[in-house]
């Protein structure tokens, strides 16, 4: 009421009010036009910085008056900082949310219900499993737009130098142990090692252990019985600890970072690694490799495991919209743009993603130029998995404790082993 009275008094007090009012209205309208709508975006693992910058510039050209601000969240603390921002009500408008945290974010009503804002024709461009990934009673909150696949890469020159057949990569963990030890033995004095395990990063450690083991039908959660069983990983741990004692592992595995391991592989100092297609794209941005190398499926836990399971296609953290965004319309437009064929095709062409959007991989405009990238594409031996329920350890004092972020509690147990 005070504001209304003050405004009325101010208008009545003006001389030549009719012309002046018209001038002020024009100025106010121009201020609204000139002022950009600012949308905040947070990504954990999306594309290289230059590619993301170019994509956002395209969005700005299509939507004049919008400004997308990219939040610079450190990758190793992304989940922790995003959780704190969401808890304090300062979360970004659009953001990637780790699959480990989807259930929590949905239960806290932090994610916008996309079924209310995304047209059915837009949804039809994705496979049913992707649409069902967060669906509950007809509502859904995110669509996995791209997947990670995992493969064993190997240096053929190092294998041949160790007296191994460079065209026959290891098929089982026993083979891997034998190959790795022979490569390290042959490379004594030259700092060459058989196998690298970047266990300094939680996500990489989990992927090399948990995701690669699904090829043998082993996973810590049994979807058929609804029970957890971590003893399925005993053969893997026994092999790794044996290789560590025998010299087959690249030193300092529990603190080894993925970038360091990839650099060492590119320099010809590592015989074998299990990597994702995202790691593979990073590897190709490094200096050209001066040796012959190959790509194969990860080794089986046992030879008898052949055919027991499909290798898990793991969703990259999907993009979601903050349910409390003050710019919901603009946030939806940004979300749809980032899921568009043009954006997904660009990322696929550069090897930054394997899109779930149908038709991209078959479109000749987007064929990847990276050598051997086809070996990372999903085949009949790969499959997406449903989300399993998550558990919280009772001895963790607070939900958002760094000890309990993104499966960090069980990764600590893996490191202890």
């Amino acid at each position: 009421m005070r504001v209304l009275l003050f405004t009325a008094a101010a208008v009545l007090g003006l001389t030549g009010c009719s012309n002046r009012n018209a001038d002020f209205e024009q100025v106010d309208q121009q201020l609204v036009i000139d002022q950009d709508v600012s949308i905040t975006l947070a990504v954990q693992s999306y594309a290289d910085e230059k590619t993301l910058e170019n994509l956002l510039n395209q969005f700005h050209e299509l939507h004049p008056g919008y400004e997308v601000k990219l939040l610079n969240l450190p990758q190793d603390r992304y989940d922790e900082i995003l959780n704190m921002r969401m808890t304090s009500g300062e979360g970004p408008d659009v953001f990637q949310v780790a699959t480990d945290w989807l259930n929590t974010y949905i239960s806290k009503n932090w994610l916008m219900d996309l079924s209310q804002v995304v047209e059915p024709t837009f949804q039809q461009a994705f496979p049913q499993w992707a649409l069902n990934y967060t669906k509950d009673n007809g509502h859904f909150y995110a669509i996995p737009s791209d997947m990670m696949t995992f493969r064993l890469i190997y240096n053929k020159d190092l294998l041949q130098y160790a007296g191994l057949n460079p065209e026959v990569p290891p098929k089982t963990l026993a083979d891997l142990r034998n190959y790795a030890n022979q490569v390290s033995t042959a490379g004594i004095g030259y700092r060459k090692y058989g196998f690298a395990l970047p266990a300094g990063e939680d996500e990489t450690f989990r992927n090399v252990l948990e995701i690669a083991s699904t090829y043998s039908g082993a996973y810590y959660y049994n979807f058929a019985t609804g029970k957890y069983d971590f003893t399925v990983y005993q053969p893997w741990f026994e092999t790794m600890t044996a290789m560590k004692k025998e010299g087959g592992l690249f030193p300092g595995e529990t603190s080894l970072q993925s970038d360091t391991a990839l650099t060492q592989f590119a320099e010809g100092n590592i015989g074998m690694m299990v990597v994702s297609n995202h790691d593979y794209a990073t590897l190709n941005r490094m200096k050209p490799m001066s040796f012959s190398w190959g790509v194969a499926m990860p080794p089986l836990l046992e030879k008898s495991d052949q055919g027991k399971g499909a290798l898990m296609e793991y969703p990259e953290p999907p993009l979601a919209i903050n349910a409390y965004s003050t710019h919901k319309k603009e946030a939806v437009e940004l979300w749809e743009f980032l899921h568009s064929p043009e954006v997904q095709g660009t990322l696929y062409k550069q090897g930054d993603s394997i899109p779930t959007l149908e038709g991209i991989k078959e479109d000749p405009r987007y064929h990847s130029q990276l050598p051997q990238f086809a070996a990372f594409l999903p085949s009949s031996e790969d499959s997406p998995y449903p989300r399993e329920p998550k558990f919280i350890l009772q001895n963790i004092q607070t939900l958002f404790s760094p000890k309990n972020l993104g499966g960090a509690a069980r990764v600590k147990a893996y490191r202890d082993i």
Side-chain angles (χ1 to χ4, degrees), residues 94-139:
V94 181
F95 54 88
Q96 280 184 311
V97 54
T99 53
D100 280 353
W101 285 99
L102 272 172
N103 287 337
T104 300
Y105 277 48
I106 292 171
S107 67
K108 288 182 173 291
N109 297 316
W110 283 348
L111 305 185
M112 181 186 292
D113 181 0
L114 298 178
S115 65
Q116 303 295 321
V117 295
V118 177
E119 294 294 332
T121 52
F122 187 92
Q123 301 174 34
Q124 291 168 5
F126 293 89
Q128 196 60 47
W129 73 262
L131 292 174
N132 291 339
Y133 200 72
T134 64
K135 186 168 284 187
D136 183 26
N137 293 325
H139 305 283

Side-chain angles (χ1 to χ4, degrees), residues 30-44:
Q30 189 62 43
L31 285 173
V32 172
I33 294 173
D34 291 342
Q35 186 176 8
D36 287 343
V37 174
S38 182
I39 316 167
T40 51
L41 171 66
V43 296
Q44 182 175 20

Side-chain angles (χ1 to χ4, degrees), residues 59 92 103 156 342 389:
F59 179 77
N103 287 337
K156 292 184 178 181
E342 293 76 18

Side-chain angles (χ1 to χ4, degrees), residues 32-106:
V32 172
I33 294 173
D34 291 342
Q35 186 176 8
D36 287 343
V37 174
S38 182
I39 316 167
T40 51
L41 171 66
V43 296
Q44 182 175 20
S45 175
Y46 193 76
D48 66 277
E49 187 175 339
K50 187 65 177 176
T51 298
L52 184 54
E53 181 182 333
N54 291 337
L55 292 174
L56 293 181
N57 286 337
Q58 292 178 31
F59 179 77
H60 292 147
E61 291 175 4
L62 294 170
H63 300 83
Y66 292 10
E67 179 189 13
V68 180
K69 291 183 178 179
L70 186 63
L71 299 181
N72 185 22
L73 304 185
Q75 187 173 358
D76 59 341
R77 296 186 62 215
Y78 178 88
D79 292 335
E80 179 184 357
I81 296 176
L82 181 62
N83 285 334
M84 290 190 294
R85 278 179 169 270
M86 296 300 292
T87 303
S88 64
E90 298 179 354
D93 297 296
V94 181
F95 54 88
Q96 280 184 311
V97 54
T99 53
D100 280 353
W101 285 99
L102 272 172
N103 287 337
T104 300
Y105 277 48
I106 292 171

Side-chain angles (χ1 to χ4, degrees), residues 336-381:
E336 290 184 339
F337 171 77
L338 294 174
H339 288 76
S340 67
E342 293 76 18
V343 171
Q344 293 302 310
T346 298
L347 297 176
Y348 175 61
K349 186 174 183 178
Q350 296 182 177
D352 285 309
S353 77
I354 298 177
T356 60
L357 191 65
E358 294 180 339
I360 298 297
K361 294 189 287 292
E362 296 77 21
D363 193 326
R365 294 176 299 171
Y366 304 130
H367 282 179
S368 177
Q369 304 300 313
L370 297 182
Q372 303 193 65
F373 186 69
F376 282 85
L377 297 182
S379 67
S380 59
E381 296 183 286

Side-chain angles (χ1 to χ4, degrees), residues 145-158:
S145 60
D146 57 318
M147 308 292 290
M148 283 192 292
T149 59
F150 296 85
R151 299 290 187 263
L152 177 78
I153 57 175
Y154 55 98
N155 184 323
K156 292 184 178 181
D157 290 3
L158 287 184

